[in-house]
Amino acid sequence: MILIKQAKVYAPEYLGVKDVLVCGGKIEAIADEIELQLSCCKVIDGQGKCLIPGIIDPHVHITGGGGEGSFHTQVPPVSLSELISGGVTTVVGLLGTDGITRNVENLLAKAKALKEEGISVYTCTGSYGYPSVTLTGEVKKDIAFIDEMIGVKLALSDHRAPNVTVDELIRLGSDARVAGMLSGKCGMVVLHMGDDSRGLEPVREALRRTSIPMKVFHPTHVTRNRNLMEQAFDFANQGGYIDMTCEASGKYPTASFVAEAKQKGVKMNRITLSSDGMGSWSSYDHMGNLVKIGYSPVDTVFTTVISLVKDFQFSLEEALTFATSNTAQSLGLFPKKGCIRIGADADLLLIDENFSINTVMANGKLMMQNKTVIVKGTYEK
C-alpha cells in the first residue's frame, strides 16, 4: 500500500493537488486528503511534483532490431532499466525487418520476461514480411489465443516491404479485426510506413473497398516525408490513429510535427507517440546501399512530451495525451491504462518541477525512487 501525498495530479487532465492511494496494484482512492495510520502504508511526499500516468510506448523492438548491415549490426534486447528510466510502464513489443533470425517465440518470451520483472507488455505477431511469421501458424489464432498478442505487424510502401496487394492487406485487416473481436482486444495492423510515394494509398483503397473500421490500421513513422505526413493528417481527421516516431533532436524534432498538426486542425486525440526503441535507423544511397546505421533509445516519448511543453507551448495535460490516454484508447486498454482514476492500474510517474523523472511506479510497485532505479532486470548489474 502506497500513499502519494499532495502532488499536482494530471490524469492526464489536471485534477488539482491531491492525495492518491495505491493498493493491490490499482489506484484505490483520489482525494484532497487521505489519512491512514497504517504501518504497512508507505508514504511518498509529492509536494512540488506532478503525478502523471506512466508512458505507454506502442512500438519497441524489445528483442532488438537492426541487422540490415549483416549480423554484427543486430541491436541488443531492451533492458528493464532502460524502459523504467524513460518512464515507460507499458510497452508493445514487435519485430521489424528481421523475421528470420528473430521470431515470434523469442519476442513472446522477452515479453513474458519483462512482465515478470514488473511492467505491462503486449506484442504484435508478424514482422515486415508477408505471409506473417506467427507462433500458431495463423495470425487470427495468435491474436485470439495468446494473451499478450493484440495485433499484427506489416511493412508498407517501403523498399524492405513484401509489396502486398490491396487484397492481401484487406485479408490481414479482416483477420486482425475478427480475432480482436473474439478475444476482446484491439485487433490492429501496425503498419511500418516507408518512403515510397504511394504512402497510405493502399490503406485508403482497402478502406474504400471494405467496411473494415479505420481503427484497425495503425500507420507508424508517419513523419518520414511530407507526402506521407499530409496523408496521415487526413487519415486522422477521418477517424484513424496515426503514430509519430519520436526524434528529440535534429532539424525537425517530432514535437514540431505535433505542433504543426495542431495548427492545421488535425484531431489531436488520434495522434500517438512511440520511440521505435531498439529499432535501427538507417540511411541508403541512391543505389540502395547502406551507408549509416544506428538504433533508437526508449526514452524519447517522454522527452518529446516535455519538448511540447517547453518548446511549443502545449499545456502539460494536452502534451501527456499523446503518450498516455490517446495510446491507451488506440490499443483498447483505456481506462485500465493511460489515466489516473480509481480502478486503473497504478502506473504512475512523479516528475520534478524541471520535468525530470523522480519516481516510477508500475502496477503499483516502485521501480524508481529519487531518480534511482531500484528494480532492475534479472541480469542487470
Side-chain angles (χ1 to χ4, degrees), residues 191-252:
L191 295 170
H192 161 99
M193 299 306 302
D195 258 326
D196 289 4
S197 59
R198 293 169 296 167
L200 284 170
E201 185 51 40
V203 181
R204 289 170 164 173
E205 179 62 20
L207 291 170
R208 282 193 292 266
R209 289 170 49 184
T210 69
S211 57
I212 298 172
M214 292 188 74
K215 68 177 184 178
V216 168
F217 296 107
H218 288 229
T220 187
H221 315 319
V222 298
T223 59
R224 192 181 294 278
N225 61 54
R226 175 56 57 177
N227 175 61
L228 176 61
M229 190 165 70
E230 293 296 340
Q231 289 181 338
F233 288 171
D234 183 61
F235 188 78
N237 280 334
Q238 292 181 46
Y241 286 103
I242 60 172
D243 184 64
M244 297 187 182
T245 306
C246 293
E247 296 180 28
S249 59
K251 186 176 180 180
Y252 299 109

Side-chain angles (χ1 to χ4, degrees), residues 1-13 15 18-30 34 42 44 46 49-56 83-90 118-120 302 320 323-324 335-352 356-372 374:
M1 187 178 294
I2 300 173
L3 179 59
I4 303 169
K5 298 284 293 181
Q6 297 299 287
K8 291 177 282 188
V9 178
Y10 289 84
E13 67 276 9
L15 301 184
K18 302 288 182 181
D19 290 357
V20 176
L21 178 65
V22 171
C23 185
K26 303 286 186 181
I27 297 171
E28 186 69 24
I30 304 169
I34 300 173
K42 180 180 179 64
I44 295 176
K49 298 181 177 66
C50 296
L51 185 69
I52 66 173
I55 300 298
I56 304 172
L83 293 165
I84 295 303
S85 297
V88 179
T89 56
T90 300
I119 67 171
S120 298
F302 180 77
L320 284 170
T324 60
K336 178 183 178 182
K337 300 289 186 184
C339 61
I340 299 176
R341 63 170 63 179
I342 294 172
D345 288 351
D347 297 333
L348 302 167
L349 309 182
L350 267 177
I351 60 175
D352 294 329
S356 62
I357 299 174
N358 179 280
T359 299
V360 177
M361 186 184 300
N363 292 308
K365 182 178 181 180
L366 281 173
M367 311 295 281
M368 173 191 282
Q369 192 168 17
N370 297 323
K371 302 184 179 182
T372 299
I374 56 177

Side-chain angles (χ1 to χ4, degrees), residues 182-197:
L182 294 175
S183 56
K185 301 171 183 175
C186 65
M188 63 181 177
V189 180
V190 175
L191 295 170
H192 161 99
M193 299 306 302
D195 258 326
D196 289 4
S197 59

